[in-house]
Amino acid sequence: MAEKHIYAFGGGEAEGGGDDRELLGGKGAGLAEMSRLAIPVPPGFTITTEVCGYYHAHGASYPDGLEAQFAGHLAALGQRLGRGFGDVDKPLLVSCRSGARASMPGMMDTVLNIGLNDEIVAARTAAGADARSLRDSYRRLLTMYGDVVLGVPHAAFESALASARARHGAATDADLSAEALDDLIGQFLQLIADHGTPFPQDPKEQLWGAVGAVFDSWNIQRAKDYRRLNNLPDDMGTAVNVQAMVFGNSGSDCATGVAFTRDPATGERRLYGEYLVNAQGEDVVAGTRTPQPIVPSDGGAGLQEAFPTAFAELKGVCSTLEDHFSDMQDLEFTIEHGQLFMLQTRTGKRTGTAAVRIAVEMEKEGRIDYREGLRRVEPDQLIQMLAPVFDPEQKQAAVEAGRLLAKGLGAGPGAASGRIALTAERATAMAKEGPVLLVREETSPDDIVGMHVAAGILTSRGGMTSHAAVVARGMGKPCIVGAGELEFDEAAGKVMVGERSWSEGDEMSIDGTTGEVIEGALAARPSEVVQVMIEGVGSGSPAVGAFRTVLEWADRERRMGVRANADTPHDAKVARAFGCEGIGLCRTEHMFFEEDRIPWVQRMIMAATDEERAESLDHLLPVQQGDFEAIFEVLDGLPVTVRLLDPPLHEFLPHEADAVERLAKLAGVTAEEVKRKAAQLSELNPMLGHRGCRLGMTEPKIYDMQVEAIVRAACVRKKAGGDPRAEIMIPLVGVEEELSRLRARSQAVLDRVVAEEGVTPEILIGTMIEIPRACLVADRVARHADFFSFGTNDLTQMAFGYSRDDIGRFLPDYVEGGVLPYDPFERLDEEGVGQLVEMAIRKGREEKPGLKIGICGEHGGEPHSITFFDKVGLDYVSCSPYRVPVARLAAARASLGVG
Amino acid sequence: MAEKHIYAFGGGEAEGGGDDRELLGGKGAGLAEMSRLAIPVPPGFTITTEVCGYYHAHGASYPDGLEAQFAGHLAALGQRLGRGFGDVDKPLLVSCRSGARASMPGMMDTVLNIGLNDEIVAARTAAGADARSLRDSYRRLLTMYGDVVLGVPHAAFESALASARARHGAATDADLSAEALDDLIGQFLQLIADHGTPFPQDPKEQLWGAVGAVFDSWNIQRAKDYRRLNNLPDDMGTAVNVQAMVFGNSGSDCATGVAFTRDPATGERRLYGEYLVNAQGEDVVAGTRTPQPIVPSDGGAGLQEAFPTAFAELKGVCSTLEDHFSDMQDLEFTIEHGQLFMLQTRTGKRTGTAAVRIAVEMEKEGRIDYREGLRRVEPDQLIQMLAPVFDPEQKQAAVEAGRLLAKGLGAGPGAASGRIALTAERATAMAKEGPVLLVREETSPDDIVGMHVAAGILTSRGGMTSHAAVVARGMGKPCIVGAGELEFDEAAGKVMVGERSWSEGDEMSIDGTTGEVIEGALAARPSEVVQVMIEGVGSGSPAVGAFRTVLEWADRERRMGVRANADTPHDAKVARAFGCEGIGLCRTEHMFFEEDRIPWVQRMIMAATDEERAESLDHLLPVQQGDFEAIFEVLDGLPVTVRLLDPPLHEFLPHEADAVERLAKLAGVTAEEVKRKAAQLSELNPMLGHRGCRLGMTEPKIYDMQVEAIVRAACVRKKAGGDPRAEIMIPLVGVEEELSRLRARSQAVLDRVVAEEGVTPEILIGTMIEIPRACLVADRVARHADFFSFGTNDLTQMAFGYSRDDIGRFLPDYVEGGVLPYDPFERLDEEGVGQLVEMAIRKGREEKPGLKIGICGEHGGEPHSITFFDKVGLDYVSCSPYRVPVARLAAARASLGVG
């Protein structure tokens, strides 16, 4: 007996169910599950994802038995509805839709109304069926089939349709008469035939053509791009759903819509969505018509008024599905002559704010436990709640100055300013030089890469569930859709509002929360979470409370500690407010650059004698000590890892004539000598040069001064009743002797200062592991270290042989072209650099069991990398202060095995 | 019973023997062995090296039982000679000399004539002993004891001695009368007392002081430096030899000397050496008087005339010792009133030429087998035979122009030109900017670091066995000693010949083979080996034959293949003449820089359109193809690994105004545009930039052109009846996808060209392993590679995070200060980089058993590194053409487990 390739659903029962996502895809599993829950679903059947795998592995052919099973299911479907596929009198019409295992909105293609042809349209009209509605369905079939199956450009249909509207004075497609549509159908058939292959009049040929096109569409570029951007595997495949049609376009007692069981932008528990009267589903999602809200926020008439029975039923369905799935659902529905049909249910995409609020409220409602809550919030979603919003006064001023250009739908909250790009290609190119806003009439899956690089997205058409809105929310990007005031002159490369126009490169700002489009760049201000948690302003909305709750859950669950990279008392305060458990990296060179210090640093470098050098260092000592005292005070009771000077000395010397003159005067030398010194210190590859501990080895007095400043500051704090916990970190060690000698020297300074001060603060001495060789000899290095801290930025640079300053000319190509799965400076390269990290941990702890090991590179705040760091046994991650919440959540999810 | 700490020798017997070098040191073992062979050796005893270890481990104290054993041996020694230590009538005088396990000439200190004091000198004079000789011995004791044991500056004694000579009109020290010496002794005693501690009149105190000083001298800086430069361990320790004095300074029937059983410069089998009449040993070695040859080369009177019996006996001793040790010996002897005493035998240091010739001739004589011959020649010694000599015509012209300044003894063969430095410190500093000649009155162990960095060494005093001569030969450096025309004005920092003078930084040349010192720099010409083997001039001396023989032995023994790095047909010819088995690295960028090509390369870079770029590449294709045809022809039947373009494109753009203008004209752009392009391509860290296969990925047409040129050249050679074996090497791979894509692209070009040409040459495609990450993912990379070739230069740069261009400011300090045991760019860092190499081999061969793996970094010609590469299983090393003989020998020694 042949394998089972097809699973039927409908009429309160189904062969599959909600657990069969792998086999039936998300859509198929949802339809099966809804069927079983007795939710009204038009009957149909699902061809499994395994068939897709077979299809691609066997040169676009089907497995044995599929055709027979297919014919059987199709016949049974007709029987159940009293119709026949291809029957002239009672034709069965079906849709054919893709459905991958993971939700991939808009990625795959759909064909509706399959089964119509000239003969059936004529016969049904003759038999008295609604002529307009039949033709509307037929022209849709021709458009979708021509585009998706036969490769006729979609724009050709659109333009013929627009001409027809203009010719017949129709405001919308729904206003076109049956005659006008007949005319259009003739044009469409000709259009398709002219492209090479005529439209198949045989319904079976239509249906098989659509099935093949769905499978083929798995491998089109935009689908691959989506999978790459979302780290989805290429081999999982899509299922195909064949389902009896119901018609939202059969008259004014028909409609089609999309609903969410909670607000996907804010997370508020309320029925949310949009619908279009007398339309088919694609009209809503494609953003070609702006739909009406199901429940208007201004209290106006909504679905309840227009379709009271269907509305009540929809509310019931929402409740059933939330109870059943314990998560917010994204639904598609059609109302046919007043009767509700559900076409899809899936877990709804949501903004970060919504994700946090829904998780916390569902836990309160008893639907999920806190661990499930942690699984439901992606760490990067928290970042959205920390993203700045526009300064309200500045925005107000801009509005008053007439710079408010348009108001659309706030589809993705957050504020973004940038130079505008009118195509995805231009956005990709321009994004290399700064933030870009992608501004389009509407977006399509072809624009996915351009949307990814954009700081924000703005469209003139479409609603809250249009492609642009859905994708932007998924990406966490500010987005405005349906800003109808905008018009486009593609030939001139301009976007216009009335008489005014802007070209690519001009600056605009969008407020994705309010929907306002403003000319020029605007300054941003902190988000509500930041205002409440960092600035202590107010107590915040429910979202802020939910944010705190999620982080409390995270702390309950995580094994790894979370520290912050902070160089100033201000950063340290922010980090502590966000719940860091110490400073993992305090860079001392930033202190050197401050205005009251840099002259003394420069003078030290220019010093001709040991005495002159000592004098400069004597000046710097109390200043650095003051810096450390302030930071130790903020982090009282928590560890603070201070890295000794790292950059090469030439970075501190001036280049501009004025500054050179000033330094020459201060150091008592000529400008020529300053330039000569700078030239002498300059390096061909400064990244691999005379810096870090190499400087400490050849200029030991600098490190002596810094160690003294740290130790004295700790003593001062301790005498003042504080609990300072300094950790001295020696950077760029690659050779055991570097650390053994610098440790000994630092220890000597420490012992001397402690003896002088008469108190003994707790001070550790360790090293940064950032040179590949340090990982290879980590056992030897560990002998002299109280702790290790990975500097994965430099480790990545050296392991790959990439200079971060110079990778612009090939790394973006590598990531876009799939040579590298992701940018290794954003996410730790587990395959390569990860091996070095694991090796260093293993060797270090073999030599010194229980050695404390953390990471302070930028990967310390990146969720995938954090998962890796948890797996390999790091004690803590350290990240930028604003990433601390992300890291807390990511560490908790790592403990749960998610991420 | 206490451990045995002391071993006696003398009188035809000994408690130890020649195999006890570990315990008795080289000198002690040699004395014991000579005793057993009935060679006349003054009796004495040796304190073991273990005592030295105990001494340093226990705060300069001695083990239990040592003093008693010492007293017993001292008493027995006196009894044997009918004398007593401290006895006024028949005083026993002894020497106290160091003797480490490995020979360390001049490193350790010696005190002679111990046991003399005021009372004994007076009593022996009163009893009629030779007054002058007694006082000469006493003043020597005071000098050595004062210097070595009590730390009085040696120069103070020298200057008092020089004043005495002047005051008394004495030409040499031997001409000073007893009265003059009495006077000097008074001055010396005062000098010592003034320094802090008076000279001990108690002979026992003298002896214990000397023993302690020998042990202490193990840890003085110059001893440590020597060990570091020669890679000797610090913990092996020295023995102390206490031996009855015999006196070469007891009158004109006395002498002291140094002999070699074969010529240490040429290897010729003849008695070779020098002696001084009426002198003590230190006079010869210290180079303070120029001694006479034992067998004058001009047939004049030598030792045979002056001391016929002793001479005959010395020849017999030489024969006995060579028969016994089967190696050339370096001897010290003293003639006391006509009777010969041997004071030392050890394996003689020799030049590279001598090492090769002695090994080959001893094998012919049946003393050793060829494997022992291979063990006896250090690979680097071969380099000396390849070192250039001065162009004879230019030298002749310089001599005729009066530039011949002086003629000394050619102590180290070879030619060197450089700027002169008058102190070791200056030499070390100046050597960073180019070749330096160290020019000194005489050298001492304090100068060892300066000698190491110098291109050549020149002294005005001393003989062929002086410190300068011995050390320079060991280092393989050109050296002239005893160039007495030179005078020094240390205050003015000048060296003078007659009225003329030169300052530090002025250029000179020395011919270490002839002893000629010439003003200014001279051009050099190839050595005899190079003339014969490469240029086919003549058939050469016995040394050339021996050179060939050693390499034949090496080929018989070695497992690893040896290839050469060569970019031109000329280099390829040299490499093949030196016996390479293929080209391991042919760099194509050097071809790009040639005058007829660089404009097209630059035009390609400046190209605005694909067509322009293609036009430039079309121009370059036949030129590159011609290069490859020529190289394949030279290497017919042997593999040639061609590396595709590696440097970043900006390296090819001009910087000077003229060249910029020329390129602008050629490329049809403005000079401004050329500069803009150069600026746009420039990189902050070019070493980690857009180069190697990264360029191949983003500019694939360049690699296409190169692959086509290689394949076409191979086809042309094959059609011409040749046997070309091309290997295409893709550089800088760090990511699997780089190689998989570039390999596929190269294969496509290859297939196309092969189809067009109609022949199928053997062509492999592989990669260079030079990025740390490539080692970590070598299993994945190996899937797409026919071979690996390690680029250890870049691998070292990235593993350490060092830029070779910028290491000058800390790496020399690291090596000198012992932070690193050696420069990892000279010798492969086994501890760190070696792990990456081993990992890549293991992973590569796990994925693809039998994968061919070589190395083409500069370490491929360094003997220690070659030993490592043999151990880890590389198939071949590739090095510069002139290093091929070195590599062949080193590979053979690696097979033997030496090196």
Side-chain angles (χ1 to χ4, degrees), chain A residues 55-56 62 96 98 108-111 144-145 147-150 206-220 238 240:
Chain A
Y55 180 87
H56 287 294
Y62 296 106
C96 179
S98 66
M108 308 300 299
D109 293 298
T110 296
V111 183
M144 286 186 260
Y145 199 92
D147 174 9
V148 171
V149 183
L150 299 176
Q206 291 171 18
L207 184 49
W208 279 106
V211 169
V214 168
F215 285 147
D216 287 338
S217 74
W218 176 255
N219 274 336
I220 60 174
T238 180
V240 177

Side-chain angles (χ1 to χ4, degrees), chain B residues 217-256:
Chain B
S217 75
W218 177 253
N219 274 337
I220 61 175
Q221 196 55 47
R222 67 190 191 193
K224 289 194 204 168
D225 285 343
Y226 184 91
R227 292 198 292 273
R228 184 168 52 75
L229 290 174
N230 291 277
N231 293 307
L232 299 172
D234 277 336
D235 60 358
M236 60 181 193
T238 182
V240 176
N241 298 289
V242 175
Q243 191 175 19
M245 286 298 306
V246 285
F247 297 94
N249 61 337
S250 273
S252 56
D253 59 347
C254 299
T256 189

